[in-house]
Amino acid sequence: AQSVTQLDSQVPVFEEAPVELRCNYSSSVSVYLFWYVQYPNQGLQLLLKYLSGSTLVESINGFEAEFNKSQTSFHLRKPSVHISDTAEYFCAVSDRSGGYQKVTFGTGTKLQVIP
Amino acid sequence: DAGITQSPRHKVTETGTPVTLRCHQTENHRYMYWYRQDPGHGLRLIHYSYGVKDTDKGEVSDGYSVSRSKTEDFLLTLESATSSQTSVYFCAAGQGLNYGYTFGSGTRLTVV
């Protein structure tokens, strides 16, 4: 069975400051890892993903995440946040349990950017 | 995302009544999913489909059923709605894990 832990339910940060949203996972097999973002009253949007290869993955809007197998982590970072980054962020993990493709989501971290 | 449409967007229903939520995709994705989102729980998988007429249960499937008679449509039915099923329901679809999921905008269901 796979699981995802996002320890921080809310993260307040001042505009233009750096931020890290933490994600830890558990799985007995190789995993794929994802970060999704949810803006108010909208569905989730894929932000970035790790499938294989380079452990550092980047999104088009300045976020990056690093896969750390030894620490079973996939933390999301941004060096300088903007007001528009205020949203809820979900980490997700998937393996090939049962031969079908299912994704398990964390409980989410609300990023509040303070002007 | 314009590729996934959920209907209705909002619904209020009475305890004990059946309710059907619809998800329609225009992307021809093989896999489709129904999640519910509740504070403190994140997204929990209700049911999923890996092809037409091929469905399976997720982690919170009690009280729910699904049907997929066409690639583009995935229906979620609450057989007899209860207050514990008050939630926001999201449909998602994907062609494979390499691509991630595309989500609909959600259906806010209130059971009174």
Side-chain angles (χ1 to χ4, degrees), chain B residues 1-30:
Chain B
D1 191 296
I4 306 281
T5 304
Q6 292 186 234
S7 60
R9 291 296 311 276
H10 302 272
K11 185 170 182 66
V12 180
T13 191
E14 292 185 350
T15 299
T17 61
V19 177
T20 295
L21 309 183
R22 181 175 183 251
C23 177
H24 178 80
Q25 61 145 329
T26 59
E27 307 294 324
N28 200 36
H29 289 320
R30 175 183 177 185

Side-chain angles (χ1 to χ4, degrees), chain B:
Chain B
D1 191 296
I4 306 281
T5 304
Q6 292 186 234
S7 60
R9 291 296 311 276
H10 302 272
K11 185 170 182 66
V12 180
T13 191
E14 292 185 350
T15 299
T17 61
V19 177
T20 295
L21 309 183
R22 181 175 183 251
C23 177
H24 178 80
Q25 61 145 329
T26 59
E27 307 294 324
N28 200 36
H29 289 320
R30 175 183 177 185
Y31 302 95
M32 296 187 75
Y33 309 83
W34 276 106
Y35 287 89
R36 60 179 289 174
Q37 184 178 28
D38 303 288
H41 292 279
L43 276 79
R44 292 180 291 175
L45 182 64
I46 305 171
H47 281 280
Y48 64 99
S49 170
Y50 43 93
V52 173
K53 297 185 179 180
D54 291 324
T55 65
D56 205 349
K57 297 178 180 179
E59 59 181 307
V60 290
S61 60
D62 288 348
Y64 301 95
S65 62
V66 291
S67 66
R68 192 170 179 198
S69 59
K70 297 185 292 185
T71 298
E72 57 267 34
D73 291 326
F74 193 33
L75 304 180
L76 176 71
T77 297
L78 287 66
E79 295 146 4
S80 178
T82 67
S83 58
S84 65
Q85 294 177 311
T86 292
S87 185
V88 180
Y89 291 85
F90 286 99
C91 175
Q95 195 59 19
L97 287 175
N98 288 8
Y99 302 94
Y101 289 172
T102 300
F103 280 82
S105 298
T107 294
R108 184 174 296 275
L109 176 69
T110 302
V111 183
V112 298

Side-chain angles (χ1 to χ4, degrees), chain A residues 11-23:
Chain A
V11 174
V13 62
F14 286 103
E15 192 174 15
E16 298 184 2
V19 69
E20 179 180 82
L21 306 183
R22 297 181 293 168
C23 173

